[in-house]
Amino acid sequence: RDSNAISATGTRTDVGYDFERVFDVELLAGRTYQEALEAYAHHQGFQNSTDDMPIILDETFVMALGFESAEEAIGQLLYFPEDARQTFQWDPTFRVIGVVETIPLTFGIGDVRSNVYWLNNHGGMNPSVKIDRARVQEGISAIERAITDRVPNSAVKIRFLDGEFERSFRTYQGINTGFTGLSLIALTI
């Protein structure tokens, strides 16, 4: 836990055992989560386990940590920085088990553009699902039923990643246009 170690910030993305198929993401090195290997610690809760917590990083996060390749990151141990350990009252050791390609899952979070995939197969607040393009309305109805059957009167908000990407892109495109205009004004002065 070297205070001079390289630090990088990524977005924690909770995923299940089949996330690479859901997100259609390519594995670049190592492996993805496997229930036979991670089940014990996952069901006990990693916060109650003395085992290293397996994590999967995207390629952008790997490069931000200074690794020259995805393969070089496999098996490496990572830690929270001191401020995060104090905030969360938790001092885990993470072991990199896989590296995947970077896909746009972070929207409007400053300059953070990388993901740390964290095994949480219990669903959580924002589950991601993949719907057959030919059966979108049927898929949405099934999702809504599944949620309201478990938690009656719950609010269901469905967002599509491509829509979120477009919304985020429009914001950055507007900012870019503004700076281009200011640059042209500065050049004419």
Side-chain angles (χ1 to χ4, degrees):
R1 294 176 180 18
D2 181 0
S3 60
N4 295 320
I6 294 174
S7 181
T9 302
T11 299
R12 172 183 162 176
T13 302
D14 288 2
V15 297
Y17 292 109
D18 59 348
F19 88 96
E20 71 280 359
R21 285 187 297 122
V22 171
F23 292 131
D24 193 24
V25 63
E26 180 184 349
L27 179 66
L28 302 176
R31 64 176 179 82
T32 59
Y33 293 114
Q34 298 172 19
E35 193 163 4
L37 298 174
E38 276 82 40
Y40 172 75
H42 179 67
H43 292 296
Q44 297 297 313
F46 282 109
Q47 288 182 312
N48 300 321
S49 174
T50 57
D51 296 339
D52 296 342
M53 182 173 171
I55 56 168
I56 297 173
L57 309 176
D58 71 10
E59 189 174 27
T60 300
F61 196 79
V62 166
M63 296 303 149
L65 287 172
F67 296 111
E68 294 184 22
S69 69
E71 293 81 11
E72 186 181 345
I74 301 302
Q76 297 295 320
L77 300 178
L78 304 178
Y79 310 94
F80 278 152
E82 179 63 30
D83 58 340
R85 290 195 301 269
Q86 290 176 2
T87 299
F88 299 118
Q89 296 294 301
W90 187 37
D91 189 14
T93 300
F94 302 95
R95 183 175 301 279
V96 179
I97 64 165
V99 177
V100 296
E101 68 179 315
T102 301
I103 57 174
L105 292 178
T106 55
F107 306 103
I109 307 174
D111 61 352
V112 177
R113 293 288 174 257
S114 57
N115 290 285
V116 175
Y117 296 97
W118 191 303
L119 181 62
N120 181 0
N121 207 36
H122 299 300
M125 298 294 291
N126 298 299
S128 296
V129 296
K130 190 171 187 177
I131 301 173
D132 184 338
R133 290 180 192 270
R135 301 170 64 192
V136 172
Q137 191 55 53
E138 184 181 344
I140 290 171
S141 296
I143 292 166
E144 289 173 340
R145 269 192 321 277
I147 293 170
T148 55
D149 284 352
R150 291 179 73 193
V151 185
N153 301 318
S154 62
V156 179
K157 181 178 181 181
I158 295 177
R159 298 181 300 168
F160 292 90
L161 284 178
D162 53 351
E164 287 296 305
F165 177 80
E166 288 300 322
R167 181 189 58 77
S168 181
F169 181 76
R170 278 193 303 275
T171 300
Y172 288 108
Q173 189 176 33
I175 292 169
N176 187 37
T177 301
F179 277 113
T180 301
L182 291 172
S183 297
L184 291 174
I185 291 170
L187 286 174
T188 59
I189 293 179

